[in-house]
Amino acid sequence: MADGPHASPTAGYRRSIGAVVAGAPFLSRSRRRVEVVPKPAVPTARAIIDCAAYVDGKRLPGRFTPETALAEIRGRGAGFVWIGLLDPDLRQMGEIAETFGLHELAVEDAVTGRQRPKFERYDDTMVTVMRTVGYVEHDMHTVSEIVQTGEIMVFLGADFVVAVRHGEHNELTAVRHELEAEPDRLALGPGVVLHAIADHVVDTYIDVTQAVEFDVESMEEELFSPRSKLPIEAIYQLKREIVELRRAVRPLAGPLQTLTAPRTPLPKEVRRYLRDVADHHSGVAERINDLDETLTTLVGAAVAKIAVQQNTDMRKISAYIAILAVPTMIAGIYGMNFDHMPELRQTWGYPAVLIIMATICSTLAVAFRRIRWL
């Protein structure tokens, strides 16, 4: 569409973002594809989970759009705006970016998702990316998804917080309600929101790790129980899920360390809270490493158990073959139809051969049972 006096005020910004996404040679093919696939225009309000203005730690009454909320806060000269978004597309994120002055490269990351946990600064805006995890109930004997991952990207400015979520399992409604119940804490500024989100994400890490740890203990108990029928594929699946969990959790250590540094423009009280989050994160990262090592041991034990079972089966098969070889050999000899063979013309020859076969087979069976081949 040609530019004109009635062009959208966000059109120029969205075109610049689209150019970056569609034409930048350094981006992967999947990320350059964002603007290639046409999608119907969806109002930005569809992507907004909640938008509120806070002054002195209290939520202002009424409903706000991002523009009106930011205008209200800047008109008062105090407070901040907190907006939550879920899976916004490029056009929706472009409108939010123009309202809050977000950098287009960070906006591109917010739209494409699947970012590694990181901390970046664009002028006066801090951007923190956190991977989220969720536990999926499953049957231990089946190969299925156990840990699902998502992403939260937080844009933090002097008077706003924009939280962009990817994934349905990482809802932040409870976090908002908890903070709104503590206005004194919320009055410290938007940095408190960043801490609350990070604390919620790390607490989720702990919960998911505990659930996976229970799965590992259950697998360990069943694997070493007699006559276990636990498939080794289920152990491999759980190990793969723990690797995915570790990849989501471990990289957050760097951003948390940066956020707690004195040079970070966050209040000292917020940095203290974040140090506590960093301690919890270190603990859960160590537990995940321990689980990974335990599963590696379980895989080795499962392989050894399968080898032992195969050896046991081979011994049983060999014992049965040895027992069956005796009547086969005798029957084969007496089936050659020679005229001069021992007891061939005797009336008691046939039952005598059967008795000899049964005696030898019974003796072999008893011998194999004594050496535990049967």
Side-chain angles (χ1 to χ4, degrees), residues 141-304:
H141 290 79
T142 60
V143 178
S144 61
E145 184 182 26
I146 301 172
V147 178
Q148 57 181 188
T149 59
E151 179 182 310
I152 296 179
M153 192 170 187
V154 181
F155 296 84
L156 184 68
D159 53 6
F160 66 85
V161 179
V162 178
V164 182
R165 296 195 293 116
H166 293 280
E168 297 290 343
H169 63 276
N170 50 6
E171 191 171 323
L172 298 177
T173 303
V175 176
R176 187 185 289 267
H177 291 166
E178 290 176 4
L179 283 179
E180 290 177 352
E182 302 181 53
D184 292 340
R185 181 182 168 196
L186 199 56
L188 293 175
V192 172
V193 177
L194 175 60
H195 160 262
I197 294 176
D199 188 46
H200 170 72
V201 170
V202 174
D203 285 345
T204 305
Y205 292 165
I206 296 174
D207 294 339
V208 172
T209 302
Q210 288 177 344
V212 173
E213 187 174 15
F214 178 78
D215 286 342
V216 173
E217 292 175 353
S218 300
M219 278 191 174
E220 185 176 15
E221 181 179 356
E222 182 167 355
L223 179 64
F224 292 108
S225 63
R227 300 176 182 175
S228 171
K229 296 182 179 180
L230 180 66
I232 192 172
E233 292 82 3
I235 302 178
Y236 279 119
Q237 171 71 9
L238 183 56
K239 182 171 177 59
R240 190 192 70 81
E241 295 295 311
I242 286 183
V243 170
E244 184 176 0
L245 178 62
R246 184 179 61 188
R247 288 176 177 173
V249 172
R250 180 185 290 179
L252 187 58
L256 288 177
Q257 185 177 4
T258 303
L259 287 170
T260 57
R263 64 179 181 275
T264 305
L266 290 173
K268 182 184 295 185
E269 192 69 18
V270 174
R271 295 203 304 270
R272 289 174 180 171
Y273 285 132
L274 285 171
R275 278 196 292 269
D276 181 66
V277 174
D279 290 340
H280 292 168
H281 177 268
S282 299
V284 72
E286 292 176 0
R287 289 176 63 183
I288 293 173
N289 287 335
D290 292 340
L291 290 178
D292 189 29
E293 293 176 0
T294 301
L295 269 185
T296 300
T297 304
L298 285 184
V299 170
V303 172

